[in-house]
Amino acid sequence: MSKDLKARSLFDPAILLPAARDAVLKLDPRQLLRNPVIFVTEVVAAVVTIFFLRDLVAHPAEAVFSGQIAIWLWFTVLFATFAEAVAEGRGRAQAESLKKTKSELVARRLLADGRTETTAATRLKIGDVVLVAAGELIPGDGEVIEGVASVNESAITGESAPVIRESGGDRSAVTGGTQVLSDEIKVKITVAPGSSFVDRMIALIEGAQRQKTPNEIALSILLSGLTLIFLFVCVAIWGLAGYSGTVLSVTVLAALLVTLIPTTIGGLLSAIGIAGMDRLVRFNVIATSGRAVEAAGDVDTLLLDKTGTITFGNRMASDFLPAPGVTVHDLAEAALLSSLSDETPEGRSIVALATGEFGIASKTRTFDATIAFTAETRLSGVDLGTRRLRKGAVDAVLRFAGVSDQEVPAEFRRAVDQIARTGGTPLAVADGSRLLGVIHLKDVVKPGIKERFAALRAMGIRTVMVTGDNPVTAAAIASEAGVDDYLAQATPEDKLAYIRREQQGGRLIAMCGDGTNDAPALAQADVGVAMQTGTQAAREAANMVDLDSSPTKLIEIVEIGKQLLMTRGSLTTFSIANDVAKYFAIIPALFVATYPALDALNIMRLASPQSAILSAVIFNALIIVALIPLALRGVSYSPAGAAALLRRNLLIYGLGGLVLPFAGIKVIDLAVAALHLV
Amino acid sequence: MTIIGWLQISLLFLAVLVAIKPLGLYMARVFSGEKTFLSPVLGPVERGLYRLSGIDPAKEQSWLAYTIAMLAFSLVGVASLYAILRLQAYLPLNPQGFPAVPSDLAFNTAVSFVTNTNWQNYAGEATMSHFSQMAGLTVHNFLSAATGMALAIAFTRALARSRVATLGNFWVDMTRATLYVLLPLAVVVTLIFVAMGLPQTLEASATATTLEGAQQVISLGPVASQEAIKQLGTNGGGFFNVNAAHPFENPTAWSDLLNIFAMLSISAALVYTFGQMVGNRRQGWALITAMAVLLIAGVAVVYWAESQGNPILTTLGLDPAQGNMEGKEVRFGQSATALYAAVTTGLSDGGVNGMLGSFTGLGGLVPMFLIQLGEVLPGGVGSGLYGILVFALLSVFVAGLMVGRTPEFLGKKIESREMKFAMLAVLILPLVILGFTAISAMLPVAVAAIGTPGPHGLSEILYAYTSAVGNNGSAFGGLSGNTLWYNTTLGIAMLLGRFAYVVPVMAIAGSLAAKVKTPASAGTFPTDGPLFVGLLVGIIIILGGLQFFPALALGPIVEHFAMLAGQTF
C-alpha cells in the first residue's frame, strides 16, 4: 500500500468534492430512513420549507426568519450526509490502492505452444498454468504439477526454514504470495483471482450497503428513543404554550425539536463506523465485518503464538559459561572460530555475541577442515592447525572429547542444568579432548514486548502465549515476556479447547494464526486474524486478514476496536450534554413575550428571541461539520484502565459538551446580530 | 434555615442509614428462601397458603410467566377493589352509612391503590366505609407494595444469575414479601403509632364540645394500622383528606419522623438487598449514594426556598425570618415539612404533611421534579429499585462506550434488546405526563378544575399527571380532581405508569438473565465507585431536566422568577 495514501489529509479535495455530490444524492428520504434522527430532521426541514413558502406569500416580514431556519435545517441534514460521504470516499480510496497491490503481482503464464507470456496475476483464470522461478512470488493459490522447489512459507508455518513443494502427493499445494527460493516449478492455478479473499474484502470496503453493527443498532435505538421523547416534548410545549396564551409557530417548534434531538451523533454515527474500518485498512488489516472490529474492542484474552510474536523465532546465543580453568575469552574465541563457517541462525548468533558483547576480533581465516552439522553427529566445527574445535549437543561433544560421565566437572554440569531449567538450549564447546564450556542458546524475547503486555494488562486484557515447547521452556519464556498465562506443548485441539473454555466463562478471545490447523480455533475465536500469507483455510475461518502478516498486529486491532466504541460514546455524551445550553437559548426566547420574568433564564444574554433561536440552529448544524475530523480520526486513545479513560472522556466530552455550546451560541448570536440577519 | 432544622433532617437520614444493612440482609434472606427468625411462626402459614392456592414454591417462572402472573394478579385486584367500593353500601362496617362510590371515582381509586399510587380524589373520612378502608384500601397497601418488591427481586435475580431462563416465582416472592417483611413491620409500627396517640378504633367518630360550646363531630377509625402500611409500602394514601397534616395521622414531630423513617427504610434497604443478592455490596451502596445525593439536594433546596419566604409578603411587613409558612403545620415547621415533601416525592410515597401548592415556586418545583426524575430516590418499594437499575443501564450504555467496550453492567452486556426495552420504559414518563398535561391545558373542561389560573394552575395539572404516572399519589392541591375527565385520565396515567413501564423492564430482566456473566477486569467500567455515582446522578438529572424543563419553565419556574420580581398570578 502506498505511503502517500496513509498520509492522506482529512481535507483532501479529491475526496471532499465527490463527497459533496454524494451528500446531496444521499438526501433521498428512502436512504435516510436508515438513520432515524437525520430522517426526522429532513422531514422537519421540509415542513419548515413549506411554512417559509407560505410566509413568503402571506407574511413576507416573517419569511426572512423562517427562510433562514429552513436553510440551516437543510444544512444540518446535508452536513450529516456529507460526513458519511467523506468516510465512504476515504474507504473507496483505500480499496483502489488495495487493487493496485494485487495487480502488481505478475505471473508468467504457460501458453499451449510452450511459450510463456507475462501477465498480471489478476488476469489468471482457474486452470491456468504458470511458471515460477527462484526469487519470484507465486502469483496465486494453486498446485504444483511439475518440478520441485524450496519455498519460503515462514509466515504459514512459523518456521523460517524453507519447505519442499513438489508435484504429486500432499506437498503440492502452494499459496499465492509465498516465495520460491530455488529451482522452478509449474503451478496450476486453482482459485480464481476475483474470488480470492482480498478481492472479496475490496468489494466489502467499497460496498455502500454496510450492515449496521450490533452496538451501532443499540445506539441507534437509544438515539431514536431520545428523538421520540423530544418529539413529545415539542408537541406538548405547543399545548402548554396555548394554555399560557402564547401562540408558537411551527418554525420555532421545528427549530427547537431539531436542536434537541441528537443530530450531532446521529449525523456522525455511520461515518464513525466506516472510519473505524478505514483505520484498520490503514494498518493493513481487513475485516470481513464491522462486527469483528467492535468485538476487538471487547476482547478479554489475546492468544499469541510464541514464535514470531513474542520471540524472534530462532534460538540465539545469549551467554558463554566456561568450564573450570578456562577463561571466558578463550571459550568465546573457540565458539567464534567453530561458528565462522556455520550459516545457521544459531551459528550467526554465536558470532554476533562473541564479536559484539565479548569483543573477540573476527578475522577471515582458512581452516584445514570444516565439519558441518549432521543429524547423526549433532556437532559442527573446524580444524585449525592443531586445534580441533567442536560445538554441539552436550552428549555429542562429550563423546567427541572422550570425557566420561564421571570426569565431567561439576561446574560444567551445573551450567548445563541451569540452562535447561530456564528453557534454553546448552551447546557444549570442546577443543580436542579439552572441554571449554557451554554456550547458552535461548529464545530471545522481542524488545518492548513486555511493556506492551503491561499496557494490555492495564486495559484489562490477558495475554496467553501458545507454544509447542515443553512446559519448562514455556514457563521461562512466559515469565520473561510477562504474559499472564501460557499453553505449552499446544496442539491445535488444545488451542480450540482453551478458547472454548474461556468463552464459557464469558470472555471474548482474539487470536491470530496462519496454518490450516489453526482454522478451527480461528473460527471459534471472537476475533480471528489470519495472516495474508496464511493458508486459504485459515483466511476463510478468520474474520480479519492482516496484509502485513505481523502477529503483533492483534494489539493494534484491539486498540482500534476500543477507539471506535469510545468515539461513539464520547460523541453521544457530547450530543446530549449540548441540549442544556440549547434550552437556555430557546425556552426564554419562546416565552419571554408572555412571561417577561423568564428573561432571567436567558443567561447568555442573547440579542433577541429570533436571533437566539437562529443561533442555536446554526450552532447545531455547524457542530456536525466541526466534528467530522474527530469522527473520522477517532478520539485519542492511550492504553489505560477503564476508570482513567472514563474520567478523561467524561471531562472532555461531557463537561465540554455542557459548556462549549454556551460559548458557541453566544458567538453566533453576536454575529447574527452584527449582520442583522433577523 | 436553622441548626435545629438540619439536625432533624440529619437525624432522619442517620436513622435510615443504620437500618439499611440489617433490614437489607434480612430481606436478602427472605427472598433467597432462607430461614429467618420468623420462620417458625410464619413458615406453616406460608406453606398453608401455597397448599391452599395450589402453588408449587419450587417451580420458577420465566420473565413472561412472572409478568403475566403479576398482571393477572393486579387485574383481579383492580376488579375486586372496584367491586368493594361500588358495593360498600351493602357491605358491613359502614357506621356512617356511606353510599356507593361513583363509578369513575371507584375506577380511579381502585387503579390508584393497586398501582401503589394512592392518588386520592376523595376525602377518606367522608367517602369510605371502614370496610372499604380496611378490606379494600389497606389490603392493597400491602399487596401493591409486595408486588413492587417481587418485581424488583426478579430483576435482581436476572443480574445475579448467569445463563438462566427463570427469575423466580411471583406468587412466592409476593407472599414472602407480605408475610415476612411488610406484615411484621406493620404490626410494630402500628403499635408505636398507637402509643404516639393515633386512633385505632372501629368507632365512626367522636363528638366533642368546643370552647365556644358548639358540638364538633371528629372522624375516627382504624387510623394507626392504615398509617403504618401507608408509609412502609410507600403508598401514601391517608385515612383523612389532609393526609399526614392531620393531627390524628401525624400528631407530633416524633410521629412525623417515624412516618418518614417508615417510608424510606424499606426502599433504601431493598437496594442493599440487591447488592447482597448480586454479590456486590459496593454496588448496592453506590446506588444508595446516588439516590441519597439527589434526595438530600432536593431536601436542601425545598428547605432553603421555604426559609427564604416570599419577598412580596416581606414588603407587606411580614417578618422574613418566618420564611414561608403558608400551607405548613406549625408543629412541623419548614425543616420537617421540606423533609417530608422531598422524601415523599423522591420516594413515590405521596403522603404529605403540608400543602405543596402553597410552597414557593422553587419549593413546589422540587417535589414535582423529584417525581419526574423517575421515582428512584429511592422510589417506591421495589419500583424504585428496578427504576434506578434502568437508569444504571442507560448510564452504563452511554458512558460505558467511552471506555472502549460494549457496555456491561455487573458482567451482563447491554445490547440492542436491552436498549429497546429500556427506551420503551423511559418513554412512558414524558409521553403520558406531557401528553395528558398538554391536552388538559387545552381542554376547557379540564382547565375549569384548576384552583388558581396562570402558571400555578398549569403546575396543578402538571403535578397531577406527574404524580399519577410516577405512581406517587401526592397532590399539589388546588385542582378539583374528582371529575369524570381527571378520574378517567389519571386512572389511565397510573395504569400506564405502573404496567407499561414494568412490562418492558421485565423483558430486560428476562434478556439479562439469559446472558453469561462476564468476569470483571481492569478494562471493565467500574459501576461501584464514585465515578459511576456521579455519572448516574448526572444522567438522571439531565434526562429528567431535558424532558421536563419546558413544562416546568411555564409553571413553577415562571412563578419563582415572577415572585422575585414582585409579581403574583
Side-chain angles (χ1 to χ4, degrees), chain B residues 325-414:
Chain B
M325 278 304 289
E326 187 192 327
K328 292 182 187 63
E329 293 291 306
V330 177
R331 67 183 184 281
F332 303 135
Q334 263 120 22
S335 66
T337 312
L339 180 64
Y340 204 115
V343 172
T344 196
T345 48
L347 199 66
S348 177
D349 182 86
V352 285
N353 71 353
M355 277 292 279
L356 300 179
S358 300
F359 283 18
T360 58
L362 208 54
L365 173 135
V366 171
M368 201 178 326
F369 190 54
L370 289 180
I371 306 177
Q372 288 163 347
L373 291 182
E375 284 298 25
V376 291
L377 315 170
V381 282
S383 62
L385 177 57
Y386 59 71
I388 201 150
L389 288 173
V390 170
F391 278 114
L393 296 185
L394 285 176
S395 309
V396 162
F397 185 81
V398 173
L401 277 178
M402 283 196 284
V403 307
R405 277 174 78 94
T406 297
E408 50 192 37
F409 183 61
L410 293 171
K412 303 275 192 171
K413 289 208 180 330
I414 314 301

Side-chain angles (χ1 to χ4, degrees), chain A residues 130-378:
Chain A
V130 294
L131 279 178
V132 192
E136 288 179 344
L137 290 173
I138 297 169
D141 298 0
E143 152 180 31
V144 181
I145 53 170
E146 195 181 310
V148 55
S150 59
V151 179
N152 180 1
E153 291 186 348
S154 57
I156 304 171
T157 56
E159 294 291 329
S160 54
V163 293
I164 302 300
R165 292 282 175 247
E166 58 191 343
S167 57
D170 55 358
R171 297 204 298 174
S172 63
V174 289
T175 314
T178 54
Q179 192 181 26
V180 173
L181 295 179
S182 67
D183 306 295
E184 189 176 61
I185 45 174
K186 272 187 197 168
V187 176
K188 188 170 159 191
I189 299 296
T190 53
V191 176
S195 65
S196 83
F197 207 77
V198 175
D199 290 297
R200 277 186 290 149
M201 293 309 101
I202 292 173
L204 205 97
I205 298 178
E206 283 183 323
Q209 286 310 312
R210 207 175 56 90
Q211 292 292 311
K212 280 190 180 176
T213 58
N215 175 263
E216 215 174 345
I217 292 171
L219 188 55
S220 296
I221 291 170
L222 175 83
L223 299 180
S224 306
L226 287 175
T227 306
L228 263 179
I229 288 177
F230 289 124
L231 202 62
F232 301 154
V233 169
C234 288
V235 172
I237 287 179
W238 179 79
L240 301 180
Y243 168 91
S244 313
T246 315
V247 180
L248 293 178
S249 71
V250 172
T251 308
V252 296
L253 278 176
L256 178 62
L257 176 62
V258 170
T259 52
L260 290 182
I261 62 177
T263 47
T264 313
I265 179 65
L268 295 172
L269 188 57
S270 61
I272 293 170
I274 298 168
M277 297 278 274
D278 186 49
R279 267 198 300 283
L280 264 187
V281 173
R282 210 162 297 247
F283 271 95
N284 275 357
V285 177
I286 295 172
T288 53
S289 71
R291 185 188 283 262
V293 188
E294 235 165 50
D298 283 351
V299 159
D300 297 287
T301 308
L302 284 188
L303 241 52
L304 298 169
D305 274 326
K306 181 201 78 175
T307 311
T309 310
I310 296 170
T311 65
F312 282 109
N314 297 311
R315 289 172 305 173
M316 291 161 91
S318 69
D319 204 1
F320 295 119
L321 303 165
V326 181
T327 65
V328 175
H329 183 271
D330 288 348
L331 172 62
E333 190 189 22
L336 171 71
L337 290 172
S338 68
S339 306
L340 275 177
S341 51
D342 181 356
E343 280 304 315
T344 64
E346 285 88 354
R348 281 199 297 266
S349 77
I350 293 171
V351 173
L353 182 70
T355 55
E357 214 169 305
F358 289 85
I360 313 291
S362 164
K363 288 170 280 194
T364 326
R365 300 172 196 245
T366 40
F367 299 113
D368 300 325
T370 305
I371 291 90
F373 181 89
T374 70
E376 212 168 307
T377 59
R378 292 189 297 136

Side-chain angles (χ1 to χ4, degrees), chain A residues 215 218 221-222 229 232-233 237 239 243 297-298 300 459-460 504-506 562 565-566 569-570 573 579 583 600 642 646 649, chain B residues 163 399 401-406 419-420 427 431 441-442 450 454 457-458 518-519 521-525 531 546-547 550 561:
Chain A
N215 175 263
I221 291 170
L222 175 83
I229 288 177
F232 301 154
V233 169
I237 287 179
Y243 168 91
D298 283 351
D300 297 287
M459 286 155 62
Q504 280 292 321
K562 287 199 176 293
L565 294 173
M566 277 166 55
S570 300
T573 309
D579 281 357
Y583 263 141
L646 183 67
N649 287 331
Chain B
R163 286 199 176 134
L401 277 178
M402 283 196 284
V403 307
R405 277 174 78 94
T406 297
M419 279 323 284
K420 192 160 55 193
L427 277 176
L431 174 65
M442 301 293 281
I450 63 178
L458 189 66
T518 316
S521 74
T524 316
F525 171 29
L531 200 61
L546 290 180
Q547 294 169 31
F561 286 118

Side-chain angles (χ1 to χ4, degrees), chain A residues 26 82 221 232 405-406 445 456 465 476-477 517 580 598 665:
Chain A
K26 281 174 183 286
F82 178 68
I221 291 170
F232 301 154
D405 270 2
Q406 293 80 18
V445 171
L456 284 171
M465 181 183 85
I477 295 169
N517 56 17
V580 175
L598 278 183
I665 292 174

Side-chain angles (χ1 to χ4, degrees), chain A residues 592-611:
Chain A
V592 75
T594 315
Y595 297 126
L598 278 183
D599 194 44
L601 291 178
N602 180 9
I603 53 177
M604 285 173 271
R605 310 312 313 158
L606 303 178
S608 72
Q610 288 201 332
S611 83

Side-chain angles (χ1 to χ4, degrees), chain B residues 202-260:
Chain B
L202 291 179
E203 293 282 319
S205 56
T207 309
T209 310
T210 67
L211 287 175
E212 293 99 35
Q215 293 288 304
Q216 187 186 3
V217 179
I218 303 170
S219 296
L220 292 173
V223 181
S225 58
Q226 193 183 323
E227 194 68 10
I229 189 60
K230 153 190 158 184
Q231 305 298 20
L232 288 168
T234 64
N235 292 288
F239 194 90
F240 301 103
N241 191 26
V242 295
N243 212 290
H246 196 290
F248 285 176
E249 279 200 23
N250 191 3
T252 64
W254 281 111
S255 71
D256 190 64
L257 214 58
L258 181 61
N259 259 296
I260 306 176

